[in-house]
Amino acid sequence: MKAKTLFDKIWDSHVVSSIPDGPDVLYIDKHLIHEVTSPQAFAGLKQRNLPVFRPEKIVATADHNVPTENQHLPIQDELSRLQVQTLIDNCNIHNIELYGLNHPYNGIVHVIGPELGLTQPGMTIVCGDSHTSTHGAFGNIAFGIGTSEVEMVMASECVLQAKPNKMRITIEGNLAKAVSSKDIILYIISKISASGGTGYFIEFAGSAITNLSMESRMTVCNMSIEMGARGGLIAPDETTFEYLKGKEFSPDNKSWNLSLVKWKQLQTDKNALFDKEWIFNAEDIGPMITYGTNPGMGMSIVGNIPQLNSIPKESRDSFQKSLDYMGFEPGSKVIGKKVDYVFVGSCTNGRIEDLRAFSKLVKGRKKADWITAWIVPGSKKVEEQAKKEGLESILNAAGFELRQPGCSACLAMNDDKIPEGKYSVSTSNRNFEGRQGPGARTLLVSPLTAAAAAVTGRITNPGDLI
Amino acid sequence: MPIEKFKILESNCVPLQVENVDTDQIIPARFLKATTREGFGDNLFRDWSFDENGNRKEDFVLNNPKFSGKILVAGRNFGSGSSREHAAWAIYDYGFRVVVSSFFADIFKNNALNNGLLPVQVSKEFLTTIFLQLNENPKTRLKVDLQSQEISLLSNGQKEKFQISHYKKECLLNGYDDIDFLVNLKDEITEFENKDSK
Ligand code: SF4
């Protein structure tokens, strides 16, 4: 039999049929929805007079548009409230499981899927959200779709997709002190650019990846979309199985062993071919930071912003425009620069491991006076866990407070907006113009680097503090 | 909803000579609170188009009376970022029917096609030529012929072929959409489910 990649194995086993010179009809095992990209899909079904085909395969949460304080009160913003209410109504009408505000399972869609065991190896998972790629950390095919496609999946449990090309990114070696999986992925994107993965599905491999915890693997897969890829995945192993054991929706004792047998086959065959391969050295990676307005504009935190003449001619205008927006000069350094805001959270770095890393560094220190910090857990469970472990007390003692779960300043749909011109050191995934609020200037970093900035008030190498 | 049929479009163009235009620029997240598909065009490129007091910025190309038309011509890697279909809705709602670039983000391309907005990918050189011509003469017209998969500059006849999957082409030419197609496959899908659970 022909050697196959892990991606091929999962994809091929989910193809219901193929349209000649067209896309495949791909069967979807799990469909996650949230309040922002689902209402028009439900409205479309209604207009066509179609039922939801497999409501039991859908799980809903409210996350993008929710306040991160006083969640017990009605949402103040009228439009946000309406959007969240529309989700509640639609889930009621169609019998869809909803983990809405204040539900113990509520949280950012890509945080709750894994932590509840809804996300499992070998599945196909979609959501009307590009960071669905996060789930690929468990060895499945997970990708973001548009609202028309959300409607498609609701109507038929299938989506029409052309099969992407395959890329493998291998990272070998050991990570240095103060370097985390966020730095790995920012490093990779800085090397292959914000569009270098377009048209591909990526498999991450190598010892630097397999040594990572599940949460760290999710951070890597989460940002595969930031290089333009449809998604990223990592072959499941003991770390994966260990993580999933005993989770709310993981296979129970009876079917666990059977699932394990199936999951263990989910590996890329030895001689399987990829359309493109990259190999990196973990030793080359240091704490990273972005200096521009796309995630590919990243560098070592102690590095220099590229000079204009090192940028291809046709891209110089866009490059300069981006630096103008950020208020930076070509060739300059960012280390030591004063910043205004620190945001810890999002589906990239809003998990318990991230809060632990942040807390560990700020413990016994104090927040810099001029810093406004938003520490936002990715889910209710993360929030509870942070309290149980005493992280909240550490944070409070250092002058921080733990907010309530949601997407928050990652996309600033709620009240958590960075003001115009202010610098925000953020653990989220996008530094686009205005992403964190109109005029906001975002610098993407790891939770450790965010912690270093929060206590010094400046861009600081976390390696200097631990 | 069945999409609007697309066969041939001849139009003036609006040049947006910026690379990596992401979905947060096309439609900022704070405008995603609607529960319907309509009206997003008003906030297309909102933060480039308006200042914080809601006044139009004269220097932004959408506000430049010299440029108009149903074709948006943009720098490489257009539509990167989020999967929000609102980006495609906003461009369509504003009145564009074609976006020309030398490179598109994947999800955006799918979203556009699902809404009758045609992404036309041209070579780097051709894109440069189009921008040059538009700089010289803002009334430069492009012709996009879906049947023959050709895009041409009417001023000098320079043309190029573009790619589109056969399936999507048929959908656009005839105004079909994917949901009708999939709903008709229900028996096959159910059979797949039964086989799979065994
Ligand atoms: S945290 Fe940010 S990137 Fe993740 S789902 Fe929410 S808005 Fe999207």
Side-chain angles (χ1 to χ4, degrees):
Chain A
M1 239 174 57
K2 199 172 152 251
K4 279 184 161 190
T5 67
L6 169 57
F7 174 80
D8 287 320
K9 289 180 188 177
I10 304 172
W11 182 282
D12 295 350
S13 68
H14 285 83
V15 173
V16 176
S17 70
S18 297
I19 302 170
D21 190 20
D24 288 337
V25 178
L26 193 71
Y27 189 80
I28 299 305
D29 296 318
K30 185 68 58 196
H31 186 191
L32 305 168
I33 62 171
H34 61 78
E35 76 276 23
V36 176
T37 56
S38 67
Q40 294 87 353
F42 281 114
L45 286 185
K46 189 170 174 196
Q47 219 162 18
R48 290 170 201 263
N49 212 357
L50 285 172
V52 173
F53 185 52
R54 296 286 180 251
E56 68 278 10
K57 298 214 172 215
I58 308 180
V59 172
T61 182
D63 54 3
H64 280 66
N65 211 344
V66 301
T68 54
E69 285 180 316
N70 295 322
Q71 289 188 345
H72 60 289
L73 299 177
I75 301 178
Q76 296 267 319
D77 181 277
E78 196 184 330
L79 289 173
S80 302
R81 194 173 61 240
L82 176 69
Q83 208 172 44
V84 171
Q85 186 59 44
T86 305
L87 180 71
I88 297 172
D89 296 345
N90 281 325
C91 287
N92 281 339
I93 294 169
H94 297 282
N95 256 323
I96 291 168
E97 186 78 17
L98 167 66
Y99 304 139
L101 267 196
N102 300 312
H103 189 286
Y105 294 169
N106 175 255
I108 303 174
V109 60
H110 312 309
V111 175
I112 67 168
E115 76 183 2
L116 293 172
L118 292 162
T119 301
Q120 295 171 17
M123 286 181 157
T124 47
I125 301 176
V126 293
C127 173
D129 190 285
S130 55
H131 292 96
T132 309
S133 59
T134 315
H135 306 261
F138 291 79
N140 53 48
I141 295 184
F143 55 92
I145 55 178
T147 297
S148 295
E149 293 168 321
V150 170
E151 190 180 335
M152 264 181 227
V153 181
M154 284 177 178
S156 68
E157 206 50 42
C158 289
V159 68
L160 289 172
Q161 284 297 298
K163 191 173 179 180
N165 293 325
K166 288 151 293 180
M167 179 188 286
R168 179 162 58 191
I169 299 180
T170 308
I171 306 123
E172 297 286 359
N174 296 311
L175 292 176
K177 182 181 87 162
V179 178
S180 70
S181 64
K182 181 64 164 290
D183 301 302
I184 298 183
I185 191 66
L186 285 174
Y187 177 84
I188 295 173
I189 306 171
S190 76
K191 292 293 170 198
I192 78 174
S193 92
S195 59
T198 306
Y200 292 94
F201 217 96
I202 301 174
E203 178 170 350
F204 295 97
S207 57
I209 297 293
T210 50
N211 285 338
L212 295 175
S213 70
M214 280 321 290
E215 299 202 345
S216 291
R217 292 181 192 185
M218 286 185 238
T219 304
V220 171
C221 290
N222 171 277
M223 287 190 72
S224 23
I225 178 77
E226 303 311 333
M227 41 191 149
R230 283 319 309 271
L233 55 83
I234 295 171
D237 58 11
E238 287 306 322
T239 308
T240 321
F241 311 143
E242 195 51 41
Y243 177 97
L244 281 173
K245 203 154 193 186
K247 293 270 186 283
E248 277 84 344
F249 296 96
S250 289
D252 56 15
N253 281 340
K254 268 191 285 166
S255 48
W256 178 257
N257 286 337
L258 204 70
S259 302
L260 267 192
V261 173
K262 277 202 277 180
W263 293 348
K264 285 185 173 165
Q265 295 165 7
L266 296 169
Q267 299 288 329
T268 288
D269 295 333
K270 227 183 170 108
N271 298 318
L273 288 179
F274 288 82
D275 301 288
K276 191 157 179 88
E277 297 239 28
W278 290 86
I279 298 174
F280 297 107
N281 253 326
E283 281 84 8
D284 295 339
I285 307 175
M288 296 285 295
I289 193 161
T290 61
Y291 56 84
T293 54
N294 74 60
M297 300 173 83
M299 62 178 187
S300 155
I301 194 162
V302 293
N304 292 70
I305 296 174
Q307 295 287 0
L308 213 51
N309 59 16
S310 68
I311 304 293
K313 248 206 175 95
E314 69 276 10
S315 303
R316 281 183 201 161
D317 286 352
S318 300
F319 183 80
Q320 186 63 53
K321 178 174 179 292
S322 169
L323 290 192
D324 290 346
Y325 179 86
M326 293 299 296
F328 292 150
E329 296 293 329
S332 66
K333 286 190 180 300
V334 298
I335 192 96
K337 221 188 132 35
K338 208 168 161 189
V339 294
D340 312 289
Y341 282 74
V342 171
F343 171 60
V344 179
S346 89
C347 58
T348 313
N349 285 125
R351 285 173 287 267
I352 192 68
E353 192 179 283
D354 304 310
L355 296 187
R356 283 183 194 138
F358 184 88
S359 308
K360 195 165 168 205
L361 194 142
V362 303
K363 188 173 181 182
R365 296 189 163 97
K366 283 274 180 231
K367 178 180 83 60
D369 303 341
W370 61 87
I371 291 284
T372 305
W374 291 327
I375 318 291
V376 184
S379 71
K380 204 83 199 152
K381 277 180 161 257
V382 172
E383 184 189 348
E384 297 304 318
Q385 181 69 22
K387 289 182 175 163
K388 209 168 89 189
E389 284 182 20
L391 301 184
E392 192 182 32
S393 333
I394 297 177
L395 290 172
N396 291 346
F400 300 94
E401 64 172 307
L402 188 66
R403 295 172 81 96
Q404 289 177 301
C407 292
S408 179
C410 174
L411 91 165
M413 264 190 93
N414 68 354
D415 291 335
D416 309 341
K417 290 181 177 52
I418 312 289
E420 175 157 9
K422 297 291 181 201
Y423 287 98
S424 158
V425 169
S426 175
T427 67
S428 56
N429 43 55
R430 285 188 176 141
N431 50 353
F432 297 154
E433 277 184 36
R435 169 79 176 183
Q436 297 196 289
R441 293 160 160 172
T442 303
L443 304 138
L444 301 176
V445 297
S446 73
L448 266 185
T449 306
V455 294
T456 60
R458 298 175 181 280
I459 296 172
T460 304
N461 185 349
D464 296 344
L465 300 186
I466 52 175
Chain B
M1 274 35 45
I3 52 175
E4 196 182 315
K5 289 182 192 174
F6 188 107
K7 293 205 157 67
I8 292 179
L9 176 69
E10 256 186 56
S11 168
N12 294 355
C13 322
V14 179
L16 182 65
Q17 211 163 345
V18 184
E19 296 187 352
N20 301 311
V21 174
D22 59 70
T23 47
D24 280 82
Q25 301 331 311
I26 300 173
I27 180 91
R30 60 188 191 280
F31 299 111
L32 306 187
K33 297 188 184 196
T35 50
T36 60
R37 287 175 186 244
E38 291 77 32
F40 289 99
D42 295 343
N43 294 311
L44 178 64
F45 298 117
R46 176 76 198 196
D47 295 334
W48 285 346
S49 209
F50 295 87
D51 65 17
E52 59 277 20
N53 302 319
N55 301 317
R56 282 186 187 277
K57 295 186 191 170
E58 297 293 323
D59 56 349
F60 184 60
V61 70
L62 285 193
N63 301 327
N64 184 339
K66 279 199 297 195
F67 295 106
S68 63
K70 295 185 169 183
I71 301 178
L72 179 68
V73 185
R76 79 181 295 284
N77 198 25
F78 185 86
S80 55
S82 108
S83 60
R84 64 182 71 148
E85 197 160 313
H86 313 69
W89 298 338
I91 296 172
Y92 190 93
D93 192 51
Y94 187 87
F96 292 114
R97 292 297 173 266
V98 169
V99 184
V100 178
S101 179
S102 58
F103 198 83
F104 287 96
D106 279 335
I107 307 185
F108 176 80
K109 210 186 313 185
N110 276 350
N111 287 343
L113 287 166
N114 283 336
N115 288 281
L117 177 69
L118 180 63
V120 174
Q121 187 161 326
V122 297
S123 68
K124 204 166 104 184
E125 293 73 28
F126 196 50
L127 186 69
T128 310
T129 310
I130 300 173
F131 278 134
L132 279 176
Q133 297 252 339
L134 277 165
N135 282 342
E136 269 167 33
N137 174 15
K139 295 282 163 266
T140 298
R141 289 169 76 79
L142 280 170
K143 177 175 168 188
V144 177
D145 184 339
L146 179 58
Q147 185 60 52
S148 66
Q149 296 178 222
E150 259 177 5
I151 173 164
S152 44
L153 266 163
L154 290 179
S155 48
N156 62 7
Q158 198 179 335
K159 59 173 108 170
E160 211 173 84
K161 285 260 180 197
F162 62 88
Q163 297 292 320
I164 181 170
S165 91
H166 177 72
Y167 170 79
K168 271 294 163 198
K169 180 172 164 179
E170 287 303 308
C171 288
L172 271 183
L173 285 170
N174 298 296
Y176 299 153
D177 87 353
D178 294 340
I179 294 179
D180 301 330
F181 175 86
L182 283 171
V183 169
N184 283 327
L185 278 186
K186 267 194 184 154
D187 290 346
E188 218 174 309
I189 295 169
T190 309
E191 204 178 304
F192 177 89
E193 287 176 323
N194 294 336
K195 192 174 75 202
D196 204 45
S197 60
K198 267 180 210 145

